[in-house]
Amino acid sequence: GEDVEQSLFLSVREGDSSVINCTYTDSSSTYLYWYKQEPGAGLQLLTYIFSNMDMKQDQRLTVLLNKKDKHLSLRIADTQTGDSAIYFCAERGMKTSYDKVIFGPGTSLSVIP
Amino acid sequence: DTGVSQDPRHKITKRGQNVTFRCDPISEHNRLYWYRQTLGQGPEFLTYFQNEAQLEKSRLLSDRFSAERPKGSFSTLEIQRTEQGDSAMYLCASSLATGFSNEQFFGPGTRLTVL
């Protein structure tokens, strides 16, 4: 079935790197996304990766995709207090509906000054 | 502000009452999505429209829920005979069908509390 899993909490010190992990079950996934949600706000797309890529880098963000293990990670370099938020992994696949995006439960990132 | 807007931002109602939420997507976006998000969970897909056509509905969308997008622009989500289990954040998103990644832009959500 459709399932996206993430660890629920992560705490890091300011200036360190954060790594948020995600696993998914749909092998037909075409796009995988990372969204950020700050308190009281909607979701903001941070980055995405197409399923035929292994890695994507965008400034402080690095996305790694292991398609064989269905594992996705988001690395945030030089984590700042403004990065404190909930991060959602999401996948879009062909198995159910091409236009349906399945979200994980979110990882709450706390950055300690 | 040309982002996705939702109204109201907060709604408190008594069990059994009907509520209606509105979503205004980004103007050139032809796809519009509704999600429900409960505490500690990610958004769960409810339904989506391409222009005025409702193309898919989740099993989560019971008979008490109805969504419309009459002119292919704004959309409404109505919940009839609300139950306490309907308490959640209702999120709307929009996208451009021809967009490469089909990036969905989310509104701030409507938080519903059913007493």
Side-chain angles (χ1 to χ4, degrees), chain B residues 3-4 9 14 19 25-26 36 41 45 56-57 61 68 70-71 75 82 84 88 101-102 107-109:
Chain B
V4 178
R9 294 291 305 275
K14 291 184 179 178
V19 294
I26 293 171
R36 181 173 69 187
Q41 298 294 321
F45 172 82
E56 184 165 349
K57 296 198 297 186
L61 216 64
E68 293 183 343
K71 296 181 181 177
S75 175
T82 52
Q84 287 183 324
S101 69
N102 193 26

Side-chain angles (χ1 to χ4, degrees), chain B residues 88-108:
Chain B
M89 177 78 86
Y90 290 84
L91 295 169
C92 175
S94 70
S95 72
L96 197 56
T98 55
F100 181 64
S101 69
N102 193 26
E103 177 182 352
Q104 296 183 21
F105 292 81
F106 281 80

Side-chain angles (χ1 to χ4, degrees), chain A residues 25-95:
Chain A
T25 57
D26 185 357
S27 56
S28 68
S29 293
T30 53
Y31 288 97
L32 295 121
Y33 308 89
W34 284 104
Y35 282 84
K36 177 183 180 182
Q37 186 176 35
E38 296 182 79
L43 277 74
Q44 173 198 358
L45 180 67
L46 283 179
T47 186
Y48 65 89
I49 189 167
F50 190 53
S51 58
N52 68 353
M53 298 168 65
D54 297 324
M55 185 182 86
K56 181 178 180 181
Q57 189 152 0
D58 184 0
Q59 299 181 331
R60 292 190 297 123
L61 305 178
T62 302
V63 179
L64 295 178
L65 174 61
N66 181 330
K67 199 172 178 184
K68 175 176 168 288
D69 294 338
K70 300 190 191 69
H71 182 268
L72 183 74
S73 68
L74 173 69
R75 178 177 179 269
I76 306 173
D78 187 26
T79 313
Q80 303 297 306
T81 54
D83 295 325
S84 292
I86 300 176
Y87 291 80
F88 292 96
C89 170
E91 59 96 8
R92 184 177 76 167
M94 300 292 288
K95 187 180 288 184

Side-chain angles (χ1 to χ4, degrees), chain B residues 4-43:
Chain B
V4 178
S5 62
Q6 293 186 245
D7 184 69
R9 294 291 305 275
H10 302 274
K11 178 72 177 178
I12 299 174
T13 191
K14 291 184 179 178
R15 190 177 55 185
Q17 298 293 306
N18 299 343
V19 294
T20 300
F21 309 141
R22 177 179 169 126
C23 170
D24 286 88
I26 293 171
S27 59
E28 63 268 25
H29 285 182
N30 51 1
R31 287 186 175 165
L32 186 147
Y33 307 79
W34 284 100
Y35 293 87
R36 181 173 69 187
Q37 185 179 21
T38 52
L39 199 62
Q41 298 294 321

